[in-house]
Amino acid sequence: MKIGQVKKWNADRGFGFIGTDGHDVFCHVSALPRGVEALDVGQHVGFEIEISSRTGKPQAVNVRTV
C-alpha cells in the first residue's frame, strides 16, 4: 500500500489527485471507503494503484484515510 497526500479534490465532480513519489495519481470518489464522500487537500491517505481499463492510466483504488 502506498501513502500519499491529497493534492486536489473537486467534490462537485467527485474526483481529485493524490501526490506520491513525485507523481499525481487520479482518484475517483468510488475508490473512497463507504460513507466518505470527499477528501481534504493536504490529507494523508493510503491507497493501491491499478491501471484503469477505460483510460489505461494509473488510478488510486482502495483508498483509506491515514
Side-chain angles (χ1 to χ4, degrees):
M1 177 160 286
K2 291 192 172 278
I3 302 293
Q5 186 173 15
V6 178
K7 296 288 187 173
K8 189 182 228 182
W9 188 263
N10 185 325
D12 294 333
R13 297 185 72 189
F15 72 89
F17 294 90
I18 300 170
T20 183
D21 300 331
H23 296 84
D24 290 347
V25 179
F26 177 80
C27 179
H28 189 264
V29 69
S30 64
L32 303 181
R34 186 175 300 217
V36 177
E37 296 180 5
L39 297 173
D40 297 321
V41 172
Q43 183 176 9
H44 286 80
V45 293
F47 62 98
E48 296 173 24
I49 295 177
E50 73 178 29
I51 302 301
S52 168
S53 60
R54 190 175 136 232
T55 65
K57 296 183 179 180
Q59 67 181 21
V61 296
N62 301 323
V63 177
R64 60 182 176 164
T65 58
V66 177

